[in-house]
Amino acid sequence: MTAERPKPDFTTIAFTFFNEIAIIDQLGRNRFERVLPVGLSIAGFSLLNHFVRLDKNQDTPSHLAKAFQVTKGAMTNTIHRLDALGLVTIIADPSDGRGKLVSITQAGRAAREDAIARLAPSLQQLAGLIDAKELADLVPTLMKLRAILDANRDPDPQS
């Protein structure tokens, strides 16, 4: 007769789930970093992707820092690197003399697409290892979790 194992509690399940996501993130970022165009970092790609994914053309550095939950200094550094590459532009905010607006350029949109295209062969290697439907079935749950976490963010890291 086998003893029944106790059911894990929610905290244990959630920790295991997020731990797996963290490991997947680390492995995925490593793959992606190896194929990114010269000069484009993961942080830079993420900012370009943010603009395209949300169909935004411009935003303030402060709002972007809050969206990414990083300091204004870290975001400013990323923005300046992208500006130097011609992937974003920085202009004075006409509604706030002290503020700035960051806009994605056509070159920025093209760099995002190029980065995704460069990642495609690495992703295609997974095609024979995991079923596309199985992967697709995970997406709605991950999107739901992202929305929940986004709506329940930790306090501002700049406080």
Side-chain angles (χ1 to χ4, degrees):
M1 191 170 186
T2 59
E4 196 171 306
R5 290 176 30 186
K7 230 179 180 179
D9 65 357
F10 184 82
T11 301
T12 302
I13 294 167
F15 174 79
T16 302
F17 177 81
F18 283 108
N19 190 54
E20 289 299 317
I21 287 176
I23 294 167
I24 292 166
D25 177 59
Q26 181 181 7
L27 293 168
R29 281 177 174 267
N30 185 277
R31 276 181 180 242
F32 202 17
E33 284 173 340
R34 284 188 260 139
V35 298
L36 280 173
V38 174
L40 188 59
S41 65
I42 291 281
F45 171 82
S46 296
L47 184 58
L48 298 176
N49 192 55
H50 176 80
F51 278 115
V52 174
R53 185 178 66 82
L54 297 179
D55 197 24
K56 291 179 108 175
N57 289 323
Q58 67 182 196
D59 209 339
T60 66
S62 179
H63 187 261
L64 290 166
K66 285 181 183 178
F68 282 86
Q69 292 190 294
V70 298
T71 65
K72 288 178 191 173
M75 182 54 64
T76 298
N77 186 26
T78 299
I79 290 167
H80 284 296
R81 287 177 188 216
L82 293 175
D83 182 45
L85 294 170
L87 305 179
V88 299
T89 58
I90 307 166
I91 61 167
D93 185 343
S95 66
D96 176 2
R98 296 175 299 155
K100 302 284 184 201
L101 290 174
V102 179
S103 301
I104 188 170
T105 64
Q106 281 306 113
R109 290 179 185 280
R112 175 200 180 258
E113 295 306 316
D114 180 42
I116 292 170
R118 289 168 175 253
L119 183 61
S122 181
L123 293 176
Q124 199 57 42
Q125 289 175 344
L126 302 175
L129 305 173
I130 188 164
D131 181 65
K133 182 181 178 335
E134 192 177 352
L135 203 55
D137 288 347
L138 295 172
V139 174
T141 302
L142 291 172
M143 291 174 79
K144 179 180 177 181
L145 181 59
R146 176 186 43 81
I148 290 167
L149 291 173
D150 197 28
N152 294 282
R153 287 175 179 242
D154 286 336
D156 187 352
Q158 300 171 51
S159 307

